[in-house]
Amino acid sequence: MILCFVITGCSVTKTVRKKTKVAPQKPVVTTQKPELPQEKKVIASPPVFGSTEEKVAHYLNQFGPVAQKEMEAYKIPASITLAQGLLESGFGVGRLAVEGNNHFGIKCHSQWNGERIYHDDDEKGECFRVYKDAASSYRDHSLFLANRQRYAFLFRLGKKDYKAWARGLKKAGYATDPQYPSKLVRLIERYDLTRFDKGKEVPATPIATKPVKTKNQSRYIVKKGDTLYGIARKLEIDITELKRLNSIQENKIYLGQELLLPNKK
């Protein structure tokens, strides 16, 4: 008998893992512009006073000394600075002053990198500067005038010549309102702001707690949605007399404001 042996060879199969080359990622290039500083969102209510005279007295007591310090440093008459502050800030209770500490209506311009607030002015939604406090607004106002060539001629005027300063500000383009100089002059003369130009401490202005009220004179509290025209029409009073009695500029009123009403004839 012949025995046959079949020998089977075992082969080992080796698995080779190929290394996959990973291509380097290209840097992501974006054309998106960096975000500008966001508008400062502040929920604030203007201080409530019974009359325009109260608002003015409070404003002068608070910022009269600040304007005098700016006058010493930059030679801008304190009377002019205060008149602009009163007018541009709405006697300290306007939105830009309350929410942005902006007392002079200075807009952002291209060089401003700080916080900003948007407000309708000559155009809708214009950009205005926001300051950390009102004193910073006063300092920026001084620098705004002192560092721009178009205002240079103002500093050659006499410190007591507030009328020339008022006209010069309009001429240099500070405001577009053709009545801007006369408004400043009226404020200076009505509230004797030249007393702040004398370079010494001015006694505090008394704040009336009860405005003078003539016989049969009533008041109206401004409500949401009110306008001067609407109030005058509803109450059947003369809008010109209403504005004069409350020293209102440019038809601006604010929520909660107390208006003295003219006597009906």
Side-chain angles (χ1 to χ4, degrees):
M1 177 181 283
I2 301 174
L3 296 176
C4 296
F5 294 90
V6 179
I7 301 174
T8 303
C10 295
S11 62
V12 178
T13 303
K14 198 175 207 178
T15 303
V16 179
R17 296 181 180 179
K18 295 183 179 180
K19 293 184 179 180
T20 304
K21 293 184 179 181
V22 179
Q25 293 184 348
K26 295 182 180 180
V28 178
V29 179
T30 177
T31 58
Q32 185 176 0
K33 295 182 179 179
E35 292 185 3
L36 293 172
Q38 298 297 310
E39 176 182 0
K40 186 176 182 180
K41 297 179 180 179
V42 179
I43 300 175
S45 299
V48 178
F49 298 105
S51 69
T52 297
E53 303 303 318
E54 273 192 66
K55 291 195 286 287
V56 171
H58 183 271
Y59 192 92
L60 296 180
N61 287 343
Q62 188 173 9
F63 299 113
V66 179
Q68 286 184 306
K69 288 181 180 178
E70 294 303 312
M71 178 177 64
E72 293 174 6
Y74 294 94
K75 310 306 178 186
I76 302 169
S79 58
I80 283 290
T81 299
L82 288 169
Q84 284 194 277
L86 284 166
L87 181 61
E88 299 284 354
S89 73
F91 303 109
V93 296
R95 178 174 179 251
L96 291 179
V98 173
E99 297 185 19
N101 286 317
N102 189 330
H103 284 243
F104 297 93
I106 297 180
K107 296 177 183 177
C108 295
H109 303 292
S110 59
Q111 71 273 25
W112 180 251
N113 294 318
E115 291 185 279
R116 53 195 66 203
I117 187 172
Y118 297 91
H119 185 74
D120 295 347
D121 191 53
D122 295 327
E123 297 179 7
K124 188 176 179 61
E126 291 194 89
C127 181
F128 289 84
R129 302 180 182 189
V130 170
Y131 304 96
K132 64 179 181 180
D133 51 40
S136 299
S137 176
Y138 269 73
R139 175 52 53 89
D140 195 41
H141 169 262
S142 297
L143 294 172
F144 190 84
L145 298 184
N147 294 340
R148 283 169 170 75
Q149 186 60 35
R150 60 191 171 112
Y151 296 111
F153 72 96
L154 292 173
F155 295 87
R156 296 192 290 271
L157 300 173
K159 189 172 66 174
K160 295 181 180 180
D161 198 352
Y162 60 87
K163 291 183 180 179
W165 270 85
R167 291 192 299 268
L169 284 167
K170 173 64 178 68
K171 180 180 178 181
Y174 191 97
T176 57
D177 182 1
Q179 300 301 316
Y180 195 74
S182 60
K183 289 178 180 180
L184 294 181
V185 170
R186 281 200 301 269
L187 285 169
I188 290 170
E189 295 179 347
R190 177 171 182 175
Y191 298 109
D192 188 24
L193 301 185
T194 55
R195 58 198 161 105
F196 293 91
D197 294 335
K198 297 176 181 179
K200 59 182 180 180
E201 186 176 349
V202 178
T205 305
I207 300 176
T209 55
K210 294 183 179 180
V212 177
K213 182 179 179 182
T214 59
K215 186 178 180 181
N216 299 325
Q217 188 175 57
S218 55
R219 303 176 187 179
Y220 179 86
I221 306 298
V222 176
K223 302 177 181 62
K224 186 176 181 180
D226 274 341
T227 64
L228 272 179
Y229 177 79
I231 294 171
R233 184 177 179 181
K234 179 170 59 177
L235 301 179
E236 298 181 345
I237 55 179
D238 182 66
I239 188 170
T240 302
E241 182 63 15
L242 177 63
K243 291 173 63 176
R244 186 199 64 77
L245 189 62
N246 293 277
S247 300
I248 293 175
Q249 306 290 333
E250 301 179 357
N251 298 330
K252 293 181 180 178
I253 54 177
Y254 59 86
L255 185 64
Q257 182 178 1
E258 186 176 47
L259 300 176
L260 294 177
L261 302 178
N263 295 327
K264 291 186 178 181
K265 297 181 180 180

